[in-house]
Amino acid sequence: MIVVFSLFLLSLLVVTAIAIVRSENLFSAVMLSGIFSLLMALNFFILDAADVALTEAAVGAGVSTVLLLGALALTPTEERRRKRERKVAATLVTVTMIFLAISYASFDQPRIGDPDAPVHRHVAPWYLEQTPELIDIPNVVTAVLGSFRGYDTLGEVYVVLTAGIGVLFLLSAGRPGLLPHRREPRIESSLKSHLIPHVVGRVLIPFIVLFGLYVQFHGEYGPGGGFQAGAIIAAGIILFALLEGEGAALKVLPPRVLVGLAIGGALLYLLVGVACMLLGGNFLDYSVLAADPVTGQQIGIILIELGVGLAVTGTLLSIFHAFAAREQ
Amino acid sequence: MEILGLYNYWVFGALLMIGFFALIARQNLVKKLLGLSIFQSAVFLLYISLAKVEGGTAPIILDPTAAEIFSNPLPQVLILTAIVVGISTTALGLAIVVRIREAYDTIEDDEIRRLDRRS
């Protein structure tokens, strides 16, 4: 049964992707990409990746759709009518050939789920065996993310921060004089006048943020962690901004605080690494943080997950506000 | 039944090429970015599919003594962080598109090139 279901979900992914490429209205393409992300999250869940599914649902279906809509408010929402071009036909042929080549190559690959596939015989068994002993937290994904491959995660956090800084630089610069007053000053854009989204949303926001905090601090025991929590909390506050208007959200969390959160979170991660060095261990080797190495590991993971959560929340909200501020 | 174990690879290939097609054949910059994110999702799907173990469950060890089969945690970690990095880079791309629109008043690739050539 589950096989049929997963084949169905995978096929839906392809159908949705084709619909995204074909649609000429960018607004519907963005909505379809939200659906695409949600389907992707379901697929991840069926493939046993609970943590990844949570991230994809929060980031892909939530935050990314809002950011794309924010960008569409500043750009035309209709694609220019396409002429039939020869180039398109040639591309289609090439792309189909490559697809056939990939499918042909798949016959040499191990079947999905094969326990003897090379990917399962490398370091993965070691992680699964050593996690209960060395770190003693149930969620192996968090253990690998925070401790075994903590250096990797540090880099990812700084990539996110750098991208956020780039967006702020690009969008905070003054407008060129090319398009003076194209847009009529918009009425305080919010859903205040729409009763049902307003009432339902207001009830939901506290629970979304609470769930985000749960995901943050329960990440060692269940699916979750800083990346997911950051995206979920950011989504909750973005919902608040959509319901109550930009100004109300900025009053709660001013831009300076958001940038501070992003940088503070990233610095917290780095400082934990440096603290490990000062205490005589290696960079990001948390064992030295407490008398007992296992407790030290747990303290380190909780601290760096907190740093990740703060950095992701701060960056995503800063990006959202940068797009929203550009509209005014 | 055996052949269905390869279905994920085919979906991966199809998504990869659909995204690639949008990236090359569509002139609209937002459409290109959507294509890029489909391309990216295809890679995510490949990694997560590789992590799956038959009869396994999510790698959360609640009872270390029980003999359970777990899926591979490593690809999941890699993709987890990649998703968040992906949205940040998409946002950066969108910011560039917004600035291009302000400077050229269009987000169609060929028109931008025509305007560039004229000046």
Side-chain angles (χ1 to χ4, degrees):
Chain A
M1 195 59 215
I2 194 88
V3 175
V4 177
F5 194 53
S6 66
L7 293 184
F8 173 68
L9 280 176
L10 285 166
S11 313
L12 271 186
L13 271 181
V14 178
V15 174
T16 319
I18 293 174
I20 292 173
V21 177
R22 281 181 56 93
S23 93
E24 288 191 354
N25 185 320
L26 290 175
F27 183 73
S28 55
V30 168
M31 284 302 152
L32 282 167
S33 82
I35 295 172
F36 181 82
S37 289
L38 218 50
L39 285 169
M40 195 53 113
L42 284 174
N43 274 299
F44 288 159
F45 188 73
I46 287 182
L47 291 165
D48 291 346
D51 286 271
V52 187
L54 199 54
T55 318
E56 177 70 33
V59 169
V63 181
S64 118
T65 309
V66 171
L67 288 184
L68 280 162
L69 289 179
L72 277 192
L74 300 165
T75 55
T77 51
E78 281 288 329
E79 214 173 337
R80 192 196 48 208
R81 289 216 83 68
R82 296 192 280 265
K83 300 156 265 181
R84 291 243 159 259
E85 287 175 76
R86 245 194 341 196
K87 221 176 83 189
V88 172
T91 317
L92 207 56
V93 171
T94 317
V95 156
T96 314
M97 300 281 275
I98 302 176
F99 167 64
L100 290 177
I102 292 174
S103 305
Y104 176 66
S106 77
F107 288 104
D108 276 346
Q109 297 296 318
R111 195 170 47 75
I112 298 295
D114 184 359
D116 293 323
V119 64
H120 301 308
R121 324 213 64 170
H122 191 47
V123 284
W126 189 88
Y127 286 142
L128 287 169
E129 264 167 41
Q130 299 296 316
T131 297
E133 201 173 308
L134 292 179
I135 302 181
D136 197 23
I137 59 173
N139 191 347
V140 184
V141 174
T142 305
V144 177
L145 181 99
S147 183
F148 293 125
R149 295 185 67 91
Y151 199 67
D152 230 33
T153 313
L154 178 72
E156 309 269 17
V157 169
Y158 276 83
V159 173
V160 172
L161 183 68
T162 313
I165 292 171
V167 172
L168 290 186
F169 268 129
L170 279 167
L171 291 184
S172 63
R175 272 162 174 269
L178 266 175
L179 313 165
H181 303 106
R182 275 192 70 90
R183 221 168 291 277
E184 300 84 70
R186 304 185 323 149
I187 332 113
E188 174 64 21
S189 69
S190 71
L191 297 172
K192 254 183 200 152
S193 47
H194 300 268
L195 188 63
I196 293 175
H198 195 241
V199 171
V200 176
R202 286 210 72 143
V203 177
L204 279 179
I205 291 166
F207 290 104
I208 294 175
V209 176
L210 188 67
F211 180 62
L213 290 173
Y214 166 78
V215 166
Q216 169 80 50
F217 292 108
H218 201 256
E220 287 80 28
Y221 303 97
F227 284 101
Q228 296 92 325
I232 291 170
I233 294 174
I237 294 172
I238 287 174
L239 181 60
F240 179 73
L242 295 177
L243 289 177
E244 301 291 334
E246 208 36 34
L250 282 176
K251 217 176 276 169
V252 183
L253 286 169
R256 199 171 291 180
V257 173
L258 291 175
V259 174
L261 279 181
I263 295 172
L267 273 183
L268 175 63
Y269 199 147
L270 191 72
L271 288 179
V272 171
V274 174
C276 295
M277 281 165 82
L278 292 179
L279 289 169
N282 284 323
F283 185 60
L284 290 174
D285 173 14
Y286 316 127
S287 304
V288 291
L289 288 177
D292 176 34
V294 175
T295 320
Q297 289 285 344
Q298 291 172 351
I299 292 173
I301 290 179
I302 288 174
L303 281 177
I304 65 114
E305 287 278 14
L306 186 66
V308 172
L310 292 176
V312 171
T313 314
T315 310
L316 289 181
L317 283 176
S318 300
I319 292 174
F320 168 72
H321 284 307
F323 277 107
R326 199 74 182 172
E327 281 172 48
Q328 279 139 28
Chain B
M1 218 50 210
E2 192 74 354
I3 201 106
L4 286 181
L6 301 174
Y7 194 71
N8 290 44
Y9 295 117
W10 304 338
V11 171
F12 155 72
L15 289 180
L16 198 71
M17 284 305 119
I18 291 168
F20 194 52
F21 174 78
L23 202 57
I24 297 178
R26 292 287 173 258
Q27 297 295 336
N28 187 294
L29 293 177
V30 174
K31 213 48 174 299
K32 277 179 192 282
L33 278 176
L34 285 175
L36 194 64
S37 66
I38 294 175
F39 189 92
Q40 201 178 15
S41 298
V43 178
F44 296 165
L45 183 67
L46 177 70
Y47 268 66
I48 298 299
S49 301
L50 291 179
K52 169 82 180 158
V53 178
E54 195 85 82
T57 174
I60 296 171
I61 308 175
L62 292 173
D63 178 12
T65 52
E68 270 183 287
I69 306 171
F70 295 106
S71 286
N72 193 335
L74 186 58
Q76 300 191 1
V77 172
L78 300 178
I79 296 314
L80 176 77
T81 51
I83 289 176
V84 181
V85 170
I87 173 71
S88 316
T89 46
T90 306
L92 192 64
L94 285 173
I96 295 172
V97 171
V98 167
R99 292 301 301 274
I100 288 176
R101 142 86 192 199
E102 285 171 2
Y104 291 84
D105 202 13
T106 176
I107 53 167
E108 304 285 336
D109 192 27
D110 46 356
E111 283 175 27
I112 293 167
R113 250 180 272 173
R114 203 178 317 130
L115 285 171
D116 262 346
R117 238 173 281 139
R118 210 183 295 156
S119 58

